[in-house]
Amino acid sequence: MALTLSHLSALDVIRTLRCEGHDLTKMDVLGLTKPSPWDGRRWNAKQFCPPQWQWGSPSANRPLDVLVPTRSNQIRMAHVRQHSIWQKLPPHSILWLDENSRVTSPELTFLQAATYLSLPMLVLLGYELCGHFSRTADEPLEGNVEINIPAATSTEEIAAYLNSFTRMSGLALAKEALSYVSNHALSAPEAVLATIYSLPVQEAGYGMGPVALNERIVVDGTDYERTARSRYPDILFSFAPVGINYDGEDHLDLEGLVRTTRNAERADGNEKPGAEAVLREKLNAVRNKVVDDNTRNRQLMAEGWLVLPATKENLFGWGNLDTYTQELLACARHFCSVDTSEYERVLDDTDNTRDRNQLLASMLPAGRPWGASHGRL
């Protein structure tokens, strides 16, 4: 019978499938089965090679996590970590991959992650699984991030799944982490911001949650402006009608504008008019984006929401997000008449500041922003 990948191996598979465009909510559901070798009587490295096996060979650097029933045959093989479960799993626990492999569902994978992740990192994972982006299996922090994909699950589905257990390793931590997670994160930066703002102070967060992500706000547009009738701010806070729109590094495609300008400068002869036309088109596109951003902010203010733009420079760098947050709180205090002293005391606490910035740095890529065209910062 097929092997069921779990824990870190399951998370790798889930990320791989999502980055390839698979909708996990439409995958076939199966029960947990007792594994047995599909080639011979004993487990050996040859069985973990293509075409029979598609999910990487067990190695010292990347052991294979496998879930088995309590009374299952033992998988006695180097670099295979066997996890047994003593109770019956809920129906939506195992997903079919192929004839030789299964994988734990996103809900069970989240629960299992509570046994090896800290609370902040588990919250960050929750935003990923319940959002419309995915990190890569090989380089989850430093690699590209795939965006505009179906969510793997939702906070409601994870909550229902967790509530089906009375006892399970990691259950209490998983439930606590889920309380800080919201649906519909569209990118990794949104998830990082939502995590750090939602987490309580004792977990090195700002303690400013709960937050709502990409919530629809109906606005009044005019035919002259040709504006959308709805806006979707990245993050909205619950303590005041304030929020954040994260404008990443390629938000205005300035690199594309520079590239188009250089192409126009190098063009000559019959190519010159066409290159200049392309440049005008690109310039208009960038300008229209600026106009739309200003219109968006104005429309949201007209509906009673003060949504501030944030950039990569506000997110990266020691203390930069604290400075941004101080300004956001000042806006809430001056324009919304909200008492923000509780949050400001957190910002003034030196120990909290150190812990928060260390946590934030651990959630961000150290070498470079997330890859171009795949949710770049």
Side-chain angles (χ1 to χ4, degrees), residues 97-147:
L97 291 174
D98 54 50
E99 62 180 8
N100 293 326
S101 55
R102 313 284 190 267
V103 65
T104 53
S105 67
E107 295 80 15
L108 178 52
T109 301
F110 180 81
L111 173 56
Q112 292 171 338
T115 65
Y116 60 84
L117 288 182
S118 65
L119 176 65
M121 291 305 179
L122 188 58
V123 172
L124 188 62
L125 175 61
Y127 276 103
E128 178 182 347
L129 295 175
C130 298
H132 299 275
F133 74 95
S134 178
R135 301 172 186 271
T136 60
D138 293 336
E139 293 185 310
L141 191 60
E142 300 289 339
N144 290 342
V145 176
E146 197 69 33
I147 60 174

Side-chain angles (χ1 to χ4, degrees), residues 166-332:
T166 55
R167 286 191 303 159
M168 179 64 79
S169 179
L171 183 61
L173 185 63
K175 287 185 174 181
E176 181 182 0
L178 188 64
S179 68
Y180 305 118
V181 179
S182 300
N183 295 321
H184 308 310
L186 298 182
S187 68
E190 282 184 24
V192 170
L193 285 168
T195 297
I196 205 74
Y197 280 119
S198 298
L199 283 171
V201 177
Q202 58 268 30
E203 291 292 342
Y206 286 107
M208 292 166 59
V211 299
L213 302 182
N214 298 289
E215 188 171 279
R216 180 174 181 260
I217 295 180
V218 178
V219 299
D220 290 329
T222 66
D223 293 335
Y224 174 76
E225 290 178 323
R226 298 179 181 176
T227 53
R229 294 290 179 176
S230 298
R231 294 292 185 178
Y232 298 84
D234 294 343
I235 297 176
L236 293 178
F237 293 94
S238 55
F239 69 89
V242 296
I244 298 172
N245 267 320
Y246 184 83
D247 296 338
E249 191 175 42
D250 59 355
H251 180 69
L252 295 177
D253 193 19
L254 297 180
E255 290 185 0
L257 179 59
V258 171
R259 185 168 55 252
T260 305
T261 301
R262 288 174 176 169
N263 289 339
E265 290 175 346
R266 288 194 295 263
D268 54 17
N270 295 333
E271 297 179 350
K272 189 73 172 177
E276 291 178 344
V278 172
L279 174 59
R280 286 193 297 271
E281 182 179 352
K282 173 60 71 173
L283 183 60
N284 287 337
V286 172
R287 177 63 183 173
N288 289 339
K289 184 60 179 174
V290 173
V291 172
D292 183 64
D293 288 347
N294 290 331
T295 302
R296 172 199 66 190
N297 297 339
R298 186 172 65 250
Q299 289 174 332
L300 290 171
M301 289 182 68
E303 296 297 329
W305 288 96
L306 183 60
V307 180
L308 305 183
T311 65
K312 181 188 73 173
E313 288 74 14
N314 300 126
L315 183 56
F316 282 81
W318 191 274
N320 288 351
L321 189 60
D322 287 345
T323 300
Y324 176 88
T325 303
Q326 288 174 335
E327 294 168 347
L328 184 145
L329 292 174
C331 289

